[in-house]
Amino acid sequence: MELLNDGAQEATMTADVPPAADANPHPITPLRTAIGHSTKDTVEVCGHNLTDELMGEVDFAAVFFLLVSGRLPGKGEARLFNAVLVALADHGLTPSALAARLTYTGAPEAIQGAVAAGLLGAGSVFLGVFEDAGRMLRAESPAADSTDSDLDTIATRVVEDHRSRKARLPGLGHPIHTGGDPRTARLLRIAEEEGLLGPHTRLMLRVQQAASRGRDLPLNAGGASGALLCDLGIDTAALRGIALVARSAGLVGHLVEEAHAPLGRWLWDTAERETTYTHPH
């Protein structure tokens, strides 16, 4: 059975999930889900038999794509989606990795707690940029046939609006890759090779150009990934979750290393030694 679609198809689950406060407080009766179901002999995931159609036939990223979009990706989409996950898997001893390692120091019997500690810091500076950039771009609803001039006009308005509110432009700048994020360049190249450089990514590039007049603000991997995932039809509500799944792999790697070559106790001892206590007045 051919599981990967030959080309890009319209996503079946692209609408944003409404805020919880606006949701119907009364569940549908009987309860329903289109995600998964199991019986005594079978497991079904989004309409596919898990053992016969998915296991050994597609990779984990394709199943993840299926779970968040309701369809299997085309071959080019699968390559790009995989690249996004790989790009965000690890970025060194970031605050999330340090939080995970320090939590593991105090509770090595509960690796899930250490992973959770690392993920809880996802926000506007780290990892949450996926969602923030996606929401900014989707609010502008760039059309697939938008001209460069159209996108320049939108981008200028977006930048001016954020600056007038002194709001951070999501997806721009990086504390380490000040001259340009190497992951961004690779992601954009893959998208171009696969014909998946869509209107959200084109707009994100125009926003970066408009924001960089007078100073250099490179497009970081989080911003690029958020835009690319919007072009793949991924629901905005899933964007941060995708970043978290990708980073979970890196955090588990850090914790395996922490178990054999610990840094947590050294970090704790160093903080104790180097911190000066000042009596409150």
Side-chain angles (χ1 to χ4, degrees), residues 169-226:
L169 274 163
L172 300 184
H174 198 282
I176 298 174
H177 306 304
T178 54
D181 193 327
R183 300 168 299 173
T184 297
R186 179 59 175 157
L187 287 170
L188 294 177
R189 187 159 63 249
I190 292 171
E192 190 167 10
E193 290 170 356
E194 300 297 341
L196 295 171
L197 206 61
H200 296 90
T201 306
R202 291 173 57 218
L203 176 57
M204 190 73 224
L205 290 169
R206 289 298 195 281
V207 169
Q208 185 266 330
Q209 291 173 5
S212 293
R213 292 168 192 154
R215 59 173 177 162
D216 188 24
L217 282 174
L219 175 60
N220 59 48
S225 296

Side-chain angles (χ1 to χ4, degrees), residues 2-9 48 65 71-77:
E2 179 64 31
L3 294 177
L4 291 177
N5 302 314
D6 292 330
Q9 298 180 7
H48 296 268
F65 189 99
R71 65 185 179 91
L72 285 165
K75 291 182 179 179
E77 293 174 315

Side-chain angles (χ1 to χ4, degrees), residues 275-281:
T275 301
T276 299
Y277 173 72
T278 57
H279 196 279
H281 299 291

Side-chain angles (χ1 to χ4, degrees), residues 25-59:
H26 303 292
I28 299 172
T29 304
L31 298 178
R32 298 174 183 171
T33 178
I35 301 299
H37 173 68
S38 61
T39 67
K40 178 182 177 182
D41 302 310
T42 64
V43 179
E44 189 171 290
V45 175
C46 296
H48 296 268
N49 185 291
L50 179 69
T51 55
D52 294 343
E53 300 178 47
L54 300 177
M55 293 174 63
E57 303 297 329
V58 297
D59 60 20

Side-chain angles (χ1 to χ4, degrees), residues 83-91 127 130 183 187 221-222 225 243 246-247:
V84 167
L85 295 177
V86 172
L88 271 291
D90 187 62
H91 205 260
L127 300 177
F130 268 52
R183 300 168 299 173
L187 287 170
S225 296
R247 186 52 57 89

Side-chain angles (χ1 to χ4, degrees), residues 13-262:
M13 297 171 61
T14 58
D16 286 355
V17 174
D22 298 333
N24 184 350
H26 303 292
I28 299 172
T29 304
L31 298 178
R32 298 174 183 171
T33 178
I35 301 299
H37 173 68
S38 61
T39 67
K40 178 182 177 182
D41 302 310
T42 64
V43 179
E44 189 171 290
V45 175
C46 296
H48 296 268
N49 185 291
L50 179 69
T51 55
D52 294 343
E53 300 178 47
L54 300 177
M55 293 174 63
E57 303 297 329
V58 297
D59 60 20
F60 173 75
V63 175
F64 189 19
F65 189 99
L66 170 66
L67 286 164
V68 297
S69 72
R71 65 185 179 91
L72 285 165
K75 291 182 179 179
E77 293 174 315
R79 182 185 178 214
L80 181 57
F81 191 69
N82 262 292
V84 167
L85 295 177
V86 172
L88 271 291
D90 187 62
H91 205 260
L93 288 172
T94 59
S96 58
L98 293 174
R101 285 177 177 260
L102 284 168
T103 302
Y104 187 83
T105 299
E109 73 283 356
I111 190 173
Q112 72 276 11
V115 172
L119 297 179
L120 286 172
S124 60
V125 179
F126 296 101
L127 300 177
V129 176
F130 268 52
E131 179 182 348
D132 298 340
R135 290 194 181 280
M136 177 185 73
L137 297 169
R138 281 233 164 98
E140 300 301 326
S141 302
D145 59 354
S146 295
T147 66
D148 290 345
S149 178
D150 294 334
L151 295 177
D152 283 334
T153 300
I154 297 173
T156 298
R157 185 178 69 245
V158 168
V159 172
E160 289 177 349
D161 172 65
H162 278 72
R163 287 182 173 169
S164 70
R165 295 184 287 108
K166 294 182 171 30
R168 183 189 184 99
L169 274 163
L172 300 184
H174 198 282
I176 298 174
H177 306 304
T178 54
D181 193 327
R183 300 168 299 173
T184 297
R186 179 59 175 157
L187 287 170
L188 294 177
R189 187 159 63 249
I190 292 171
E192 190 167 10
E193 290 170 356
E194 300 297 341
L196 295 171
L197 206 61
H200 296 90
T201 306
R202 291 173 57 218
L203 176 57
M204 190 73 224
L205 290 169
R206 289 298 195 281
V207 169
Q208 185 266 330
Q209 291 173 5
S212 293
R213 292 168 192 154
R215 59 173 177 162
D216 188 24
L217 282 174
L219 175 60
N220 59 48
S225 296
L228 291 166
L229 292 174
C230 284
D231 284 332
L232 289 178
I234 301 298
D235 195 311
T236 311
L239 296 181
R240 188 173 302 198
I242 291 171
L244 296 180
V245 169
R247 186 52 57 89
S248 292
L251 292 178
V252 172
H254 276 282
L255 296 174
V256 170
E257 183 178 74
E258 185 68 22
H260 298 283

